Amino acid sequence: MVKVRIWGSLTAATDGRSEVEVDATNLRELLDSLAQAYPGLQPQLKRGVTVAIDGLLYNDDWFTPISDDSEVVLLSRLQGG
Amino acid sequence: MALDKNAPETRSFKVVGSRPLRPDGIDKVTGRARFGADMSAPGMLIGHILRSPHAHARIRAIDTSKAEALAGVKAVVTRADFAAAPEGMEDVLDNCMAGEKALYDGHAVAAIAATSAAIARQAAKLIEVDYEVLPHVTDVDAAMAPGAPALHDGRSDETVPDGYSANVMSRVEYGHGDIEAGLAKADRVLERSYKTAATHQGYIEPHACLATMGPDGQADLWCCTQGHYMVRNTCAALLGMDQGQLRVTASEIGGGFGGKTTVFIEPVALALARKAGRPVKIVMDRTEVLRATGPTASSSIDVRIGMTKDGRITAADAELRYQGGAYPGSPVGMGSMSAFAPYDLENVRTIGYDVVTNRPKQAAYRAPGAPMAAFAVESAIDELAKGFGLDPLDVRLKNAAREGTRSSYGPTFPAIGLEATLRAAKDHPHWSAPLGPNQGRGVACGFWFNFGGDTCVTLNVTPDGTVTVTEGNPDIGGSRASMSMMAAEELGIPYEKVRTVIADTGALGQNEVTDGSRVTFAVGLATIEAARAAKREMCARVAKIWGIDEEAVIWEDGAAKPAGPNAGDYPPMTLAEIAAIASNTGGPIAGHHEVNAEGAGVSFATHIADTEVDPDTGATRIVRYTVIQDAGKAVHPAYVEGQFQGGAVQGIGWALNEEYIYGADGILQNPGFLDYRIPVASDLPMIDTVILEIPNPGHPYGVRGVGETSIVPPLAAVANSVSAATGVRMTDLPMSPPKVLAAVQGQQEG
């Protein structure tokens, strides 16, 4: 199980919890598991998120590996200028 | 992509880190470089866009018949000429060509293609638009108030609690700990409100494009953009075309800074070309650029920070309200994440609101959302530090985020360079230099994320042993030089033997936009890997020639050599020697690499600003300015210094003069560079720079993005400096002379 930190305004979709646990070994599984376990997150996941894995930022690369002891944080989708 | 593959190598560089002449320099100073407006085609028509004179109006009808009847007019388009936008692109289309409503002064409502610009402008006057003028709102706090004129119905997302104005599109919240408990431990809690104006990216080159489309539906587009693959994909979607039928070529670009990461005129030119059956060129003038392309968001921010008398921050809290123009998508999320990112805080929270107003849709601007947040936070920290009689650099060092710090936005930082920039600032002669009368010194820190993304590079070895690198990102900040340098470094050949070209969309796979400080990091990574692929191929060819195993051949100093004594005794074969006989050994030699280069490293900077304020006029002069930033590895230090200086100068403009000024009628009052004042060279001293090199673990050479972080600290650095010079805390940007004079006089009277 991977622990995922959720940003504050999304905790309404996770029963108020700022950290949830889901089964995932990569980014794709993580996003799918979150959407399945917490349907209230689906609108935001559809709009897009960035995921910090062990301090580095990922947007789209489905097969980025995630281990059980990875630090995983959900973030607003990032954009550059 | 597994990052452990890319751990920075311990090596001494031969080409990387040097300062060769820029490959585009002569073209740009002689006028040979071809920018967007320099393109033309046989039979070309001139396009012109009719824009709304109202800040907010329902479009009841548009009658184009008189315009179409004018001699020389070949096509007129309105929203009806576009396909229904795919999901998620509705706002992009609506911003390019209004649908049911005009949402801001300057919003496009129709466009004409004619045989001359004069005829096109004359035809625009003949288009009859039946407007129902609606109430408007342009200020972020006014737009959030109950009863404010609503731009859209039902667009607020599920994160917005009940009771907010319909103009609040979304809400974000970040942080950890207990704010109130943290504030209770403070010796002082400072509460302040700050405002920043919308500012434009201010690129020298206005938007320009040339579109052609044949009766078979195949189309070509030349344009100035930060991302021609994005232009292709977006235009194809808005016009109902297959992406493969549209080839987009990026011109040279006269600046973008984030403002050219979307489309404005390109879909319109294509729609006109499709309807007219002839090439159509559209070139914006400066007024159009300011009225109808993206400035950044304006902001209104409340901050509470608690600090002990020895300078430790006990809690930090901010509410950020950003208006991003007429559509959702202000960068308030990134402002909320970056606001307190430089600091190691036990109790921290940011709440952000994305708000729509009757202004042009904001576009990204260098570290979108971060400079405004840093202005508020760094001003408050400065005020607290000075209130306790503490050195503002010492306070920042005491609270600085380091490796292992849980950041304010959630993730734990890996190796980062903030502390190094602060120590370098403290050691810099600038920090201890004497000040003159009416002068003050300010300091501020800044943070930015940096990105990677989809990237393709092909590296071709030509028969005479020169090398061409083909990449798909418009060169804004010197990337052609940087790519050539990294290819030369990897291949072991002189920089002068490599030329980098920017390919059109037909030549490579998908490439992300030139944004997010991504190009030197991501395209550099792909260039290095493409060069390594070419080296492997050349070693394999030489192994065949020598009749030994491929593994027995290594690449060193620009040549294939036996790996050791057991491999045999063969004289090295240089790249040029291998290239000359490529036809005999298997055909042309190339390397390529395709990657979604995620995992970019974050970046920090510290800036020191000295200002002098004229007490009689309120005018502020920048006396001295120093930028200290972590670049990971500076590939071409002169370009890195240029990025540092450019970001600082744009931030200085944001701090002192630049602002979108709207009248009570919702009309932009200053759509020109005479009234919208950007700093020019004569306004500024030479910006001093200090490059720190703390390698990014996600890149083979340790490169980090450098293009954006440098605009984050200047707003606060200059404000802290002006406050020191005048004794008045400035909380509302820009600090234009009348505003500073009023504040100084107010203090004297008070």
Side-chain angles (χ1 to χ4, degrees):
Chain A
M1 298 288 274
V2 177
K3 289 179 184 167
V4 186
R5 238 177 263 155
I6 309 290
W7 77 78
S9 40
L10 293 187
T11 55
T14 57
D15 306 320
R17 283 181 288 169
S18 58
E19 189 169 279
V20 299
E21 285 192 83
V22 293
D23 269 325
T25 61
N26 61 38
L27 185 57
R28 184 188 192 190
E29 291 173 7
L30 177 88
L31 298 176
D32 287 348
S33 298
L34 283 171
Q36 194 171 5
Y38 302 99
L41 288 176
Q42 287 176 9
Q44 181 62 52
L45 295 173
K46 192 175 176 190
R47 285 193 294 271
V49 294
T50 293
V51 182
I53 302 171
D54 294 325
L56 298 175
L57 303 172
Y58 299 85
N59 283 335
D60 303 306
D61 196 352
W62 279 355
F63 304 113
T64 302
I66 300 175
S67 59
D68 284 353
D69 59 353
S70 292
E71 181 198 60
V72 179
V73 185
L74 217 56
L75 303 172
S76 299
R77 180 79 174 194
L78 295 169
Q79 178 197 13
Chain B
M1 184 184 61
L3 287 168
D4 54 2
K5 287 182 189 168
N6 292 318
E9 300 162 5
T10 304
R11 61 186 292 171
S12 57
F13 293 99
K14 293 179 178 170
V15 182
V16 166
S18 64
R19 297 170 182 249
L21 288 176
R22 52 191 302 166
D24 53 338
I26 290 175
D27 280 2
K28 285 182 176 168
V29 298
T30 59
R32 181 172 172 268
R34 285 170 297 174
F35 291 88
D38 291 326
M39 297 296 170
S40 61
M44 184 178 80
L45 303 172
I46 302 299
H48 179 76
I49 294 175
L50 178 66
R51 300 185 179 279
S52 168
H54 305 293
H56 194 192
R58 191 173 309 285
I59 300 171
R60 287 191 287 229
I62 303 178
D63 183 351
T64 61
S65 57
K66 289 178 185 168
E68 287 168 318
L70 185 67
V73 170
K74 301 299 179 186
V76 179
V77 298
T78 63
R79 178 65 172 271
D81 292 277
F82 291 87
E87 186 180 1
M89 300 186 79
E90 299 91 340
D91 290 344
V92 178
L93 174 58
D94 203 66
N95 193 40
C96 291
M97 188 60 68
E100 293 179 2
K101 290 204 294 185
L103 292 168
Y104 56 89
D105 164 42
H107 198 167
V109 295
I112 306 102
T115 50
S116 74
I119 293 172
R121 283 196 298 271
Q122 188 183 351
K125 294 176 184 169
L126 297 174
I127 294 176
E128 295 172 0
V129 184
D130 180 10
Y131 291 109
E132 175 193 352
V133 177
L134 301 170
H136 66 272
V137 62
T138 55
D139 176 77
V140 62
D141 291 322
M144 289 183 74
L151 277 75
H152 311 283
D153 293 322
R155 291 288 304 268
S156 303
D157 72 23
E158 74 286 352
T159 61
V160 181
D162 292 338
Y164 282 86
S165 144
N167 295 320
V168 179
M169 295 288 104
S170 66
R171 177 186 181 277
V172 293
E173 180 179 334
Y174 284 94
H176 53 258
D178 184 331
I179 296 297
E180 299 308 325
L183 292 175
K185 292 177 186 171
D187 293 311
R188 183 184 175 195
V189 176
L190 180 77
E191 295 190 37
R192 285 280 180 273
S193 296
Y194 302 87
K195 283 202 162 196
T196 65
T199 58
H200 198 272
Q201 296 82 353
Y203 30 80
I204 296 171
E205 184 195 18
H207 299 260
C209 70
L210 169 64
T212 72
M213 191 183 298
D216 56 359
Q218 291 193 51
D220 283 273
L221 182 69
W222 293 264
C223 61
C224 68
T225 176
Q226 289 179 241
H228 44 309
Y229 291 81
M230 170 277 300
V231 171
R232 177 195 65 183
N233 300 352
T234 307
C235 289
L238 301 187
L239 287 138
M241 300 170 62
D242 292 336
Q243 291 175 1
Q245 296 300 308
L246 174 59
R247 184 176 62 159
V248 183
T249 305
S251 68
E252 289 287 348
I253 181 168
F257 314 110
K260 293 175 181 171
T261 57
T262 185
V263 296
F264 298 102
I265 55 175
E266 297 83 359
V268 179
L270 280 164
L272 286 167
R274 177 166 64 184
K275 200 163 185 178
R278 287 170 61 172
V280 174
K281 178 175 178 176
I282 299 180
V283 180
M284 278 187 167
D285 61 26
R286 184 60 59 184
T287 298
E288 288 181 289
V289 170
L290 288 167
R291 285 176 77 201
T293 69
T296 187
S298 64
S299 74
S300 176
I301 301 173
D302 302 328
V303 173
R304 284 192 303 164
I305 297 179
M307 188 180 281
T308 59
K309 58 188 174 189
D310 64 348
R312 180 65 187 151
I313 298 172
T314 59
D317 189 21
E319 181 178 294
L320 304 93
R321 303 172 292 275
Y322 287 15
Q323 71 74 28
Y327 304 92
S330 82
V332 74
M334 291 180 287
S336 302
M337 286 191 279
S338 63
F340 294 110
Y343 301 109
D344 180 4
L345 302 171
E346 194 177 336
N347 307 294
V348 59
R349 178 177 65 185
T350 50
I351 296 172
Y353 293 94
D354 176 22
V355 182
V356 293
T357 65
N358 294 110
R359 294 178 180 229
K361 176 176 170 53
Q362 72 87 34
Y365 183 15
R366 238 174 167 156
M372 314 78 140
F375 164 61
V377 170
E378 295 292 310
S379 295
I381 289 175
D382 191 73
E383 188 172 350
L384 279 163
K386 287 180 177 165
F388 286 125
L390 300 171
D391 181 319
L393 274 176
D394 287 339
V395 168
R396 286 171 172 82
L397 273 166
K398 187 182 274 285
N399 294 283
R402 296 172 170 85
E403 183 173 4
T405 295
R406 180 179 175 185
S407 68
S408 59
Y409 60 96
T412 302
F413 283 129
I416 54 173
L418 173 63
E419 187 178 359
T421 68
L422 286 163
R423 294 202 183 281
K426 207 163 167 55
D427 293 340
H428 197 284
H430 184 170
W431 187 242
S432 53
L435 289 165
N438 301 314
Q439 293 183 355
R441 175 165 299 142
V443 65
C445 295
F447 159 87
W448 186 242
F449 300 95
N450 298 325
F451 308 122
D454 284 336
T455 307
C456 303
V457 167
T458 292
L459 183 148
N460 291 297
V461 179
T462 59
D464 70 353
T466 51
V467 167
T468 303
V469 174
T470 305
E471 53 124 326
N473 278 90
D475 176 1
I476 303 180
S479 56
R480 278 171 293 193
S482 297
M483 297 315 131
S484 293
M485 292 172 75
M486 285 187 266
E489 183 75 48
E490 197 62 34
L491 293 169
I493 60 176
Y495 165 79
E496 293 74 19
K497 294 291 184 186
V498 185
R499 183 180 182 191
T500 297
V501 298
I502 314 301
D504 66 53
T505 55
L508 292 170
Q510 174 70 17
N511 282 277
E512 264 290 334
V513 171
T514 298
D515 70 356
S517 304
R518 74 173 217 95
V519 172
T520 312
F521 164 74
V523 184
L525 191 153
T527 298
I528 291 166
E529 291 300 331
R532 288 175 178 173
K535 286 196 300 189
R536 286 192 295 274
E537 178 62 21
M538 287 189 284
C539 285
R541 301 285 180 95
V542 171
K544 276 188 194 172
I545 294 168
W546 290 343
I548 63 175
D549 291 341
E550 289 181 20
E551 294 74 26
V553 180
I554 59 167
W555 192 266
E556 204 172 81
D557 296 330
K561 297 176 179 175
N566 294 338
D569 185 16
Y570 302 100
M573 286 190 72
T574 65
L575 183 146
E577 290 169 337
I578 299 165
I581 55 171
S583 296
N584 308 111
T585 62
I589 295 167
H592 59 95
H593 192 71
E594 296 81 29
V595 65
N596 182 355
E598 300 206 294
V602 301
S603 166
F604 292 88
T606 298
H607 290 200
I608 309 169
D610 291 357
T611 60
E612 181 175 309
V613 179
D614 184 330
D616 296 323
T617 65
T620 299
R621 181 171 69 89
I622 302 293
V623 178
R624 185 172 181 180
Y625 200 101
T626 302
V627 177
I628 302 153
Q629 186 175 320
D630 170 21
K633 177 66 191 172
V635 176
H636 190 307
Y639 277 116
V640 173
E641 290 160 358
Q643 292 282 1
F644 288 6
Q645 292 164 328
V649 169
Q650 289 187 303
I652 289 168
W654 201 337
L656 292 180
N657 290 105
E658 296 181 41
E659 64 178 318
Y660 267 49
I661 301 170
Y662 281 91
D665 55 1
I667 304 302
L668 184 62
Q669 302 294 299
N670 58 337
F673 276 156
L674 283 177
D675 298 317
Y676 181 96
R677 178 77 162 80
I678 64 171
V680 296
S682 56
D683 293 324
L684 298 162
M686 174 59 80
I687 307 292
D688 196 5
T689 57
V690 178
I691 301 172
L692 302 181
E693 294 189 322
I694 295 134
N696 172 16
H699 187 278
Y701 293 175
V703 169
R704 293 179 198 273
V706 298
E708 296 178 282
T709 311
S710 54
I711 202 173
V712 182
L715 284 63
V718 174
N720 292 338
S721 176
V722 170
S723 298
T726 61
V728 183
R729 178 57 57 176
M730 302 300 294
T731 58
D732 190 351
L733 300 187
M735 295 174 288
S736 52
K739 219 184 276 182
V740 174
L741 188 61
V744 170
Q745 289 175 340
Q747 182 199 41
Q748 289 166 349
E749 290 164 9

